[in-house]
């Protein structure tokens, strides 16, 4: 274990000083995390502890963001306060990503939908159902979480979906939900729900353009597979 405290290192090796001298871009993930947690434990510096935490998730920031407060506090030197700091920092990063997409995008393909919704859904351990509401130029006027549920399903109230669509004067919708299991194949309930939404929209002249099933790195498009 590295027992030398960060403050005893050379200035170039201290994460805070390194950030001030060289800028944030040159810092490693472990160095950034060390700044967040501030200190380590009796056996490890903050940087060594940060490397160990990241190593537990294969140095994957997305996987780190899935760790709960309870999981983080299992690491020696990480109490509730530090765990909350880690979770809060990662959440700020996630929200920054979303704000960059606040300009209402035009949907040209299923990949555009994936780009918008994958950051919202890819880290979840439960299912959520989201709706994109579009105007007659296929521009997204709003996105909304309609429901969230358990590990394998979520209940969807089609009435609420179209109530919002009517309020927004949307002419089309795209729906999506995630599969925490990572499986992309639609279930029978997915197929039935898609047909129900399509039929209900037809009565109101609001077209269902697509339904995406989203996993961490990929997606399944009902439209691309000619299932609409």
């Amino acid at each position: 274990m590295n027992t030398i405290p960060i403050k005893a290192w050379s200035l170039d090796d201290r994460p805070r000083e390194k950030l001030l001298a060289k800028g944030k871009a040159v810092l490693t993930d472990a160095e950034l995390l060390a700044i967040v947690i501030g200190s380590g434990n009796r056996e490890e510096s903050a940087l060594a502890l940060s490397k160990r935490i990241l190593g537990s998730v294969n140095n994957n920031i997305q996987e780190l963001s899935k760790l709960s407060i309870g999981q983080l506090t299992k690491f020696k030197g990480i109490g509730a306060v530090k765990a909350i700091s880690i979770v809060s920092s990662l959440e700020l990063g996630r929200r920054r990503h979303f704000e960059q997409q606040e300009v209402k995008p035009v949907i040209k393909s299923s990949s555009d939908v994936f780009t918008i919704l994958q950051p919202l859904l890819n880290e979840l351990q439960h299912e959520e159902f989201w709706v994109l509401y579009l105007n007659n130029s296929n521009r997204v006027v709003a996105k909304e979480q309609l429901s969230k549920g358990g590990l394998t399903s979520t209940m969807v109230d089609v009435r609420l979906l179209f109530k919002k669509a009517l309020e927004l004067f949307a002419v089309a919708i795209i729906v999506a939900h995630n599969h925490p299991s990572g499986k992309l194949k639609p279930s029978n309930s997915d197929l039935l729900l898609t047909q129900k939404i399509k039929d209900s929209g037809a009565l109101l002249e609001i077209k269902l353009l697509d339904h995406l099933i989203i996993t961490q790195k990929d997606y399944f498009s009902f439209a691309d597979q000619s299932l609409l």
Side-chain angles (χ1 to χ4, degrees):
M1 292 290 184
N2 184 1
T3 59
I4 303 174
I6 287 176
K7 64 183 179 181
W9 297 4
S10 68
L11 288 178
D12 284 344
D13 290 333
R14 299 181 193 176
R16 293 189 187 89
E17 285 79 0
K18 187 175 179 180
L19 188 151
L20 287 171
K22 301 180 180 180
K24 61 188 178 182
V26 303
L27 270 69
T28 65
D29 292 344
E31 288 171 331
L32 290 170
L33 184 57
I35 292 174
V36 172
I37 66 176
S39 61
N41 55 52
R42 291 183 179 180
E43 290 81 33
E44 298 172 293
S45 68
L47 185 56
L49 176 56
S50 297
K51 288 179 178 179
R52 186 159 63 89
I53 293 171
L54 284 167
S56 73
V57 291
N58 296 316
N59 296 299
N60 187 311
I61 298 297
Q62 288 187 345
E63 292 300 317
L64 177 63
S65 67
K66 294 178 182 180
L67 297 184
S68 66
I69 300 293
Q71 289 172 313
L72 287 167
T73 55
K74 290 180 180 178
F75 291 93
K76 185 177 180 181
I78 301 296
V81 173
K82 289 182 181 179
I84 289 169
S85 295
I86 294 171
V87 170
S88 298
S89 298
L90 292 167
E91 178 63 15
L92 278 173
R94 190 179 73 92
R95 294 186 184 186
R96 176 179 179 272
H97 178 84
F98 297 155
E99 285 182 0
Q100 291 174 338
Q101 298 183 9
E102 282 305 306
V103 175
K104 295 181 173 61
V106 174
I107 302 299
K108 298 179 181 178
S109 67
S110 59
S111 63
D112 293 333
V113 181
F114 181 68
T115 298
I116 295 170
L117 292 178
Q118 188 262 359
L120 291 165
L121 295 169
N122 72 324
E123 298 173 356
L124 301 178
Q125 301 302 306
H126 60 271
E127 281 199 11
E128 290 190 1
F129 192 92
W130 283 73
V131 186
L132 299 183
Y133 298 94
L134 288 73
N135 63 18
N136 56 7
S137 299
N138 276 7
R139 188 174 295 276
V140 177
V141 295
K143 61 177 182 285
E144 183 176 73
Q145 178 203 90
L146 192 65
S147 66
K148 64 180 180 179
L151 295 174
T152 59
S153 66
T154 179
M155 298 295 292
V156 177
D157 190 330
V158 176
R159 295 169 301 177
L160 292 178
L161 189 162
F162 285 106
K163 178 178 182 291
K164 183 72 172 183
L166 291 170
E167 291 172 352
L168 293 168
F169 298 101
V171 300
I173 58 171
I174 295 172
V175 300
H177 75 283
N178 62 310
H179 277 181
S181 66
K183 295 180 180 179
L184 287 172
K185 184 178 179 180
S187 65
N188 287 334
S189 59
D190 292 335
L191 295 168
L192 290 172
L193 176 61
T194 304
Q195 190 62 46
K196 183 178 181 180
I197 293 172
K198 179 182 177 181
D199 293 343
S200 300
L203 294 173
L204 298 170
E205 297 184 345
I206 299 174
K207 187 174 182 180
L208 174 63
L209 296 180
D210 204 349
H211 181 177
L212 266 65
I213 297 171
I214 294 175
T215 61
Q216 190 168 17
K217 297 181 180 179
D218 207 351
Y219 68 93
F220 177 95
S221 163
F222 279 66
D224 291 351
Q225 299 300 319
S226 302
L227 293 176
L228 285 181

